[in-house]
Amino acid sequence: MLKSRIRWILGAALLAATPLSAQPAIELHGASQFNDDHAFTKAMAKFGEVVKACYGKPINFVLHKNSELGLEKQYFEYMASGKAVDYAIVSPAHMSTFSKAAPFIDAPFIFRDLAHWTKVIELDLFKPIADEIAKRADVMLIGYGGGGTRNIFVNKPVRNMEEIKGLKVRVQGAPIWSRTFQAAGMAPTVIAYNEVYNGIQNGVIAAGENEAAGVEAMRFYEVAPQLAMTEHAITIRPLAFSGKTFRKLPKDLQDCVLKGGKEGAAHGRQVESSEDTAKLEALEKAGKLKRIPFADRAAMKKAVDPVLIEYAKEIDAHGILEKINAVQ
């Protein structure tokens, strides 16, 4: 009996003396469609670094890259169910199943320029939409990445409204993208992101739209080397975190996740916005694509504005649109 008691005391003392580093580490899984060089992947890597430094206790981040766990649509579904993926950068278009207002975060033609885009994010004007997503999908938007200016990559030069008339262009799945591109005279179609290259190659579509990082990473320039500089949107890509995972974490780690979300996403914005022009210049210098000036951006916006206003009213986001337009 005495020997058993001594063994118990020694065991307890040994456990108490075990350093934090030897305790089991919490493990969080992230997902990216891209490799280490992409701004989204860099933002999520920064997120992990900030959280680790802030928390100071055992924690591991496993970032699955190169579409290992599927595409962004799947990442969001996984986070909503609390399985496989704990954090990821996801296009707002893929959140529309849970919140019809979500795609408005990234709608075309709502930002005048990069400075306007930056102020809207800093003022957190999309908070009502983020709150709705958290409530209905149980996925938190803990930061906003993005910053790339989106243009149309196409297999022939298009320079104005007349030349884009009837253009078969791939757009994101949210209705606002199809409606605005139709209003501009194009023939938008929704296909999966990883099918765009083959779609252009096989003549199913003639064009797509993306920021420089996407054009480079997916090698769209190989099948559509003409880049019409429509500058129709500036990306916002929320860094999302599973609400189900978040509630399982200790309070101090929850605080670090929120801190890491803001700082990681801000890092991603800086990377993407600063690299955007440089990537296009490098691709053009290498003879892989040609930037085509687009003369009718103002006319395109004029055609699209009524659709944006109508859409904002439909999803109860008209007040948000007015606040965005009021930002100087």
Side-chain angles (χ1 to χ4, degrees):
M1 185 70 177
L2 180 60
K3 289 182 179 179
S4 297
R5 178 67 175 168
I6 290 172
R7 282 198 298 269
W8 183 88
I9 292 172
L10 290 174
L14 182 62
L15 182 63
T18 301
L20 286 173
S21 59
Q23 294 179 11
I26 292 172
E27 191 168 271
L28 297 175
H29 289 256
S32 172
Q33 292 182 171
F34 307 103
N35 61 20
D36 289 321
D37 295 330
H38 196 281
F40 295 177
T41 311
K42 290 179 180 179
M44 285 186 276
K46 182 68 173 179
F47 163 71
E49 292 170 9
V50 173
V51 174
K52 273 190 174 183
C54 171
Y55 188 47
K57 300 174 188 177
I59 183 168
N60 293 324
F61 288 87
V62 181
L63 184 52
H64 302 270
K65 292 165 280 191
N66 296 308
S67 301
E68 180 185 336
L69 297 182
L71 302 177
E72 290 177 8
K73 189 179 190 309
Q74 284 80 51
Y75 306 161
F76 193 80
E77 292 169 352
Y78 292 151
M79 287 185 284
S81 64
K83 299 176 182 177
V85 175
D86 300 305
Y87 64 97
I89 287 179
V90 177
S91 168
H94 300 310
M95 305 176 189
S96 58
T97 301
F98 299 91
S99 168
K100 62 181 181 180
F104 195 70
I105 292 174
D106 195 45
F109 290 108
I110 62 173
F111 303 115
R112 293 190 294 273
D113 50 35
L114 196 60
H116 182 228
W117 170 88
T118 301
K119 288 182 180 178
V120 170
I121 292 175
E122 289 174 348
L123 291 170
D124 201 15
L125 295 186
F126 294 114
K127 186 179 185 303
I129 298 176
D131 290 344
E132 181 185 38
I133 293 167
K135 180 180 178 181
R136 297 188 177 180
D138 200 11
V139 176
M140 305 162 62
L141 306 189
I142 59 174
Y144 293 99
T149 301
R150 298 177 78 92
N151 297 289
I152 294 175
F153 53 90
V154 58
N155 59 10
K156 63 179 181 180
V158 291
R159 307 172 185 85
N160 51 50
M161 293 285 280
E162 181 61 29
E163 292 181 353
I164 64 168
K165 190 173 182 179
L167 182 69
K168 292 182 179 179
V169 56
R170 182 267 180 184
V171 296
Q172 301 177 53
I176 186 57
W177 284 86
S178 292
R179 286 164 63 173
T180 51
F181 274 58
Q182 282 175 341
M186 289 175 273
T189 185
V190 177
I191 63 174
Y193 188 64
N194 60 344
E195 296 175 5
V196 173
Y197 187 105
N198 288 339
I200 297 174
Q201 191 174 46
N202 297 329
V204 176
I205 54 175
E209 57 83 39
N210 216 319
E211 67 276 6
V215 172
E216 179 189 54
M218 301 300 288
R219 306 175 74 89
F220 291 139
Y221 53 81
E222 293 180 349
V223 290
Q226 310 295 323
L227 192 68
M229 303 301 289
T230 50
E231 299 181 349
H232 55 269
I234 302 176
T235 59
I236 292 185
R237 289 294 177 268
L239 175 52
F241 198 92
S242 169
K244 290 180 174 63
T245 299
F246 188 81
R247 289 189 295 276
K248 295 176 183 177
L249 304 177
K251 177 63 169 62
D252 53 346
L253 180 51
Q254 289 179 344
D255 293 340
C256 291
V257 165
L258 297 178
K259 172 182 169 66
K262 287 185 174 60
E263 294 187 22
H267 177 70
R269 294 199 304 270
Q270 190 277 327
V271 168
E272 187 167 338
S273 60
S274 63
E275 288 183 350
D276 206 56
T277 301
K279 285 182 181 294
L280 293 183
E281 288 176 348
L283 289 171
E284 192 164 37
K285 187 176 181 179
K288 294 179 178 179
L289 64 72
K290 183 176 181 180
R291 286 178 287 182
I292 308 296
F294 191 79
D296 291 342
R297 186 187 187 280
M300 183 185 286
K301 179 167 172 52
K302 185 177 180 180
V304 165
D305 276 346
V307 174
L308 274 178
I309 294 170
E310 180 185 355
Y311 176 73
K313 290 178 179 178
E314 288 177 12
I315 61 173
D316 297 324
H318 190 247
I320 296 174
L321 180 60
E322 288 184 334
K323 289 180 180 178
I324 290 172
N325 289 336
V327 172
Q328 299 299 317

PDB file of all heavy atoms in Angstrom, residues 6-24:
ATOM      1  N   ILE A   6       3.651   5.804  -2.840  1.00  0.00           N
ATOM      2  CA  ILE A   6       4.903   6.482  -3.237  1.00  0.00           C
ATOM      3  C   ILE A   6       4.972   6.605  -4.753  1.00  0.00           C
ATOM      4  O   ILE A   6       5.340   7.648  -5.301  1.00  0.00           O
ATOM      5  CB  ILE A   6       6.120   5.706  -2.692  1.00  0.00           C
ATOM      6  CG1 ILE A   6       6.182   5.848  -1.161  1.00  0.00           C
ATOM      7  CG2 ILE A   6       7.413   6.246  -3.308  1.00  0.00           C
ATOM      8  CD1 ILE A   6       7.229   4.954  -0.513  1.00  0.00           C
ATOM      9  N   ARG A   7       4.595   5.489  -5.454  1.00  0.00           N
ATOM     10  CA  ARG A   7       4.621   5.532  -6.923  1.00  0.00           C
ATOM     11  C   ARG A   7       3.660   6.599  -7.454  1.00  0.00           C
ATOM     12  O   ARG A   7       3.945   7.310  -8.409  1.00  0.00           O
ATOM     13  CB  ARG A   7       4.242   4.152  -7.485  1.00  0.00           C
ATOM     14  CG  ARG A   7       5.379   3.139  -7.433  1.00  0.00           C
ATOM     15  CD  ARG A   7       5.113   1.974  -8.378  1.00  0.00           C
ATOM     16  NE  ARG A   7       3.916   1.244  -8.000  1.00  0.00           N
ATOM     17  CZ  ARG A   7       3.911   0.198  -7.172  1.00  0.00           C
ATOM     18  NH1 ARG A   7       5.049  -0.234  -6.640  1.00  0.00           N
ATOM     19  NH2 ARG A   7       2.781  -0.422  -6.893  1.00  0.00           N
ATOM     20  N   TRP A   8       2.471   6.720  -6.825  1.00  0.00           N
ATOM     21  CA  TRP A   8       1.484   7.728  -7.256  1.00  0.00           C
ATOM     22  C   TRP A   8       2.031   9.133  -7.070  1.00  0.00           C
ATOM     23  O   TRP A   8       1.897   9.992  -7.936  1.00  0.00           O
ATOM     24  CB  TRP A   8       0.195   7.555  -6.441  1.00  0.00           C
ATOM     25  CG  TRP A   8      -0.901   8.506  -6.865  1.00  0.00           C
ATOM     26  CD1 TRP A   8      -1.819   8.318  -7.839  1.00  0.00           C
ATOM     27  CD2 TRP A   8      -1.151   9.812  -6.325  1.00  0.00           C
ATOM     28  NE1 TRP A   8      -2.635   9.409  -7.951  1.00  0.00           N
ATOM     29  CE2 TRP A   8      -2.245  10.350  -7.031  1.00  0.00           C
ATOM     30  CE3 TRP A   8      -0.552  10.567  -5.314  1.00  0.00           C
ATOM     31  CZ2 TRP A   8      -2.764  11.607  -6.765  1.00  0.00           C
ATOM     32  CZ3 TRP A   8      -1.058  11.820  -5.040  1.00  0.00           C
ATOM     33  CH2 TRP A   8      -2.153  12.334  -5.762  1.00  0.00           C
ATOM     34  N   ILE A   9       2.682   9.380  -5.925  1.00  0.00           N
ATOM     35  CA  ILE A   9       3.249  10.710  -5.635  1.00  0.00           C
ATOM     36  C   ILE A   9       4.348  11.039  -6.624  1.00  0.00           C
ATOM     37  O   ILE A   9       4.425  12.145  -7.164  1.00  0.00           O
ATOM     38  CB  ILE A   9       3.781  10.772  -4.184  1.00  0.00           C
ATOM     39  CG1 ILE A   9       2.600  10.692  -3.199  1.00  0.00           C
ATOM     40  CG2 ILE A   9       4.571  12.046  -3.949  1.00  0.00           C
ATOM     41  CD1 ILE A   9       3.037  10.547  -1.750  1.00  0.00           C
ATOM     42  N   LEU A  10       5.217  10.046  -6.914  1.00  0.00           N
ATOM     43  CA  LEU A  10       6.304  10.289  -7.863  1.00  0.00           C
ATOM     44  C   LEU A  10       5.768  10.558  -9.266  1.00  0.00           C
ATOM     45  O   LEU A  10       6.265  11.424  -9.986  1.00  0.00           O
ATOM     46  CB  LEU A  10       7.248   9.078  -7.886  1.00  0.00           C
ATOM     47  CG  LEU A  10       8.111   8.871  -6.627  1.00  0.00           C
ATOM     48  CD1 LEU A  10       8.877   7.562  -6.726  1.00  0.00           C
ATOM     49  CD2 LEU A  10       9.089  10.044  -6.462  1.00  0.00           C
ATOM     50  N   GLY A  11       4.716   9.805  -9.642  1.00  0.00           N
ATOM     51  CA  GLY A  11       4.107  10.015 -10.957  1.00  0.00           C
ATOM     52  C   GLY A  11       3.489  11.382 -11.083  1.00  0.00           C
ATOM     53  O   GLY A  11       3.651  12.067 -12.112  1.00  0.00           O
ATOM     54  N   ALA A  12       2.777  11.818 -10.042  1.00  0.00           N
ATOM     55  CA  ALA A  12       2.152  13.149 -10.058  1.00  0.00           C
ATOM     56  C   ALA A  12       3.206  14.239 -10.133  1.00  0.00           C
ATOM     57  O   ALA A  12       3.055  15.241 -10.830  1.00  0.00           O
ATOM     58  CB  ALA A  12       1.279  13.321  -8.820  1.00  0.00           C
ATOM     59  N   ALA A  13       4.285  14.046  -9.376  1.00  0.00           N
ATOM     60  CA  ALA A  13       5.356  15.048  -9.374  1.00  0.00           C
ATOM     61  C   ALA A  13       6.009  15.133 -10.745  1.00  0.00           C
ATOM     62  O   ALA A  13       6.344  16.211 -11.238  1.00  0.00           O
ATOM     63  CB  ALA A  13       6.396  14.680  -8.309  1.00  0.00           C
ATOM     64  N   LEU A  14       6.198  13.962 -11.382  1.00  0.00           N
ATOM     65  CA  LEU A  14       6.797  13.944 -12.720  1.00  0.00           C
ATOM     66  C   LEU A  14       5.912  14.652 -13.728  1.00  0.00           C
ATOM     67  O   LEU A  14       6.395  15.422 -14.571  1.00  0.00           O
ATOM     68  CB  LEU A  14       7.034  12.493 -13.144  1.00  0.00           C
ATOM     69  CG  LEU A  14       7.715  12.289 -14.513  1.00  0.00           C
ATOM     70  CD1 LEU A  14       9.104  12.907 -14.502  1.00  0.00           C
ATOM     71  CD2 LEU A  14       7.794  10.797 -14.842  1.00  0.00           C
ATOM     72  N   LEU A  15       4.577  14.431 -13.651  1.00  0.00           N
ATOM     73  CA  LEU A  15       3.641  15.083 -14.564  1.00  0.00           C
ATOM     74  C   LEU A  15       3.655  16.592 -14.374  1.00  0.00           C
ATOM     75  O   LEU A  15       3.657  17.358 -15.340  1.00  0.00           O
ATOM     76  CB  LEU A  15       2.232  14.539 -14.329  1.00  0.00           C
ATOM     77  CG  LEU A  15       1.130  15.094 -15.238  1.00  0.00           C
ATOM     78  CD1 LEU A  15       1.428  14.723 -16.684  1.00  0.00           C
ATOM     79  CD2 LEU A  15      -0.240  14.550 -14.827  1.00  0.00           C
ATOM     80  N   ALA A  16       3.703  17.007 -13.097  1.00  0.00           N
ATOM     81  CA  ALA A  16       3.718  18.448 -12.813  1.00  0.00           C
ATOM     82  C   ALA A  16       4.986  19.097 -13.326  1.00  0.00           C
ATOM     83  O   ALA A  16       4.998  20.281 -13.686  1.00  0.00           O
ATOM     84  CB  ALA A  16       3.579  18.668 -11.310  1.00  0.00           C
ATOM     85  N   ALA A  17       6.066  18.313 -13.364  1.00  0.00           N
ATOM     86  CA  ALA A  17       7.346  18.873 -13.800  1.00  0.00           C
ATOM     87  C   ALA A  17       7.522  18.839 -15.311  1.00  0.00           C
ATOM     88  O   ALA A  17       8.484  19.365 -15.849  1.00  0.00           O
ATOM     89  CB  ALA A  17       8.490  18.097 -13.147  1.00  0.00           C
ATOM     90  N   THR A  18       6.571  18.187 -16.020  1.00  0.00           N
ATOM     91  CA  THR A  18       6.673  18.088 -17.480  1.00  0.00           C
ATOM     92  C   THR A  18       6.555  19.465 -18.110  1.00  0.00           C
ATOM     93  O   THR A  18       5.603  20.189 -17.850  1.00  0.00           O
ATOM     94  CB  THR A  18       5.555  17.196 -18.041  1.00  0.00           C
ATOM     95  OG1 THR A  18       5.667  15.907 -17.441  1.00  0.00           O
ATOM     96  CG2 THR A  18       5.674  17.066 -19.555  1.00  0.00           C
ATOM     97  N   PRO A  19       7.517  19.886 -18.920  1.00  0.00           N
ATOM     98  CA  PRO A  19       7.454  21.213 -19.521  1.00  0.00           C
ATOM     99  C   PRO A  19       6.294  21.343 -20.497  1.00  0.00           C
ATOM    100  O   PRO A  19       5.800  20.341 -21.031  1.00  0.00           O
ATOM    101  CB  PRO A  19       8.804  21.333 -20.247  1.00  0.00           C
ATOM    102  CG  PRO A  19       9.211  19.909 -20.508  1.00  0.00           C
ATOM    103  CD  PRO A  19       8.703  19.123 -19.333  1.00  0.00           C
ATOM    104  N   LEU A  20       5.849  22.593 -20.729  1.00  0.00           N
ATOM    105  CA  LEU A  20       4.737  22.838 -21.649  1.00  0.00           C
ATOM    106  C   LEU A  20       5.004  22.250 -23.023  1.00  0.00           C
ATOM    107  O   LEU A  20       4.108  21.756 -23.695  1.00  0.00           O
ATOM    108  CB  LEU A  20       4.479  24.347 -21.778  1.00  0.00           C
ATOM    109  CG  LEU A  20       3.789  25.022 -20.585  1.00  0.00           C
ATOM    110  CD1 LEU A  20       3.764  26.528 -20.817  1.00  0.00           C
ATOM    111  CD2 LEU A  20       2.384  24.499 -20.385  1.00  0.00           C
ATOM    112  N   SER A  21       6.281  22.307 -23.438  1.00  0.00           N
ATOM    113  CA  SER A  21       6.628  21.837 -24.778  1.00  0.00           C
ATOM    114  C   SER A  21       6.370  20.343 -24.954  1.00  0.00           C
ATOM    115  O   SER A  21       6.252  19.858 -26.072  1.00  0.00           O
ATOM    116  CB  SER A  21       8.094  22.159 -25.082  1.00  0.00           C
ATOM    117  OG  SER A  21       8.932  21.531 -24.124  1.00  0.00           O
ATOM    118  N   ALA A  22       6.313  19.588 -23.821  1.00  0.00           N
ATOM    119  CA  ALA A  22       6.092  18.157 -23.922  1.00  0.00           C
ATOM    120  C   ALA A  22       4.615  17.797 -23.875  1.00  0.00           C
ATOM    121  O   ALA A  22       4.246  16.651 -24.075  1.00  0.00           O
ATOM    122  CB  ALA A  22       6.833  17.446 -22.794  1.00  0.00           C
ATOM    123  N   GLN A  23       3.748  18.756 -23.582  1.00  0.00           N
ATOM    124  CA  GLN A  23       2.327  18.496 -23.531  1.00  0.00           C
ATOM    125  C   GLN A  23       1.764  18.380 -24.957  1.00  0.00           C
ATOM    126  O   GLN A  23       2.302  18.967 -25.882  1.00  0.00           O
ATOM    127  CB  GLN A  23       1.614  19.612 -22.769  1.00  0.00           C
ATOM    128  CG  GLN A  23       2.004  19.668 -21.290  1.00  0.00           C
ATOM    129  CD  GLN A  23       1.303  20.792 -20.559  1.00  0.00           C
ATOM    130  OE1 GLN A  23       0.386  21.409 -21.090  1.00  0.00           O
ATOM    131  NE2 GLN A  23       1.736  21.061 -19.340  1.00  0.00           N
ATOM    132  N   PRO A  24       0.695  17.599 -25.120  1.00  0.00           N
ATOM    133  CA  PRO A  24       0.113  17.436 -26.464  1.00  0.00           C
ATOM    134  C   PRO A  24      -0.266  18.794 -27.062  1.00  0.00           C
ATOM    135  O   PRO A  24      -0.866  19.638 -26.405  1.00  0.00           O
ATOM    136  CB  PRO A  24      -1.129  16.583 -26.200  1.00  0.00           C
ATOM    137  CG  PRO A  24      -0.845  15.879 -24.917  1.00  0.00           C
ATOM    138  CD  PRO A  24      -0.026  16.828 -24.101  1.00  0.00           C
TER     139      PRO A  24
END
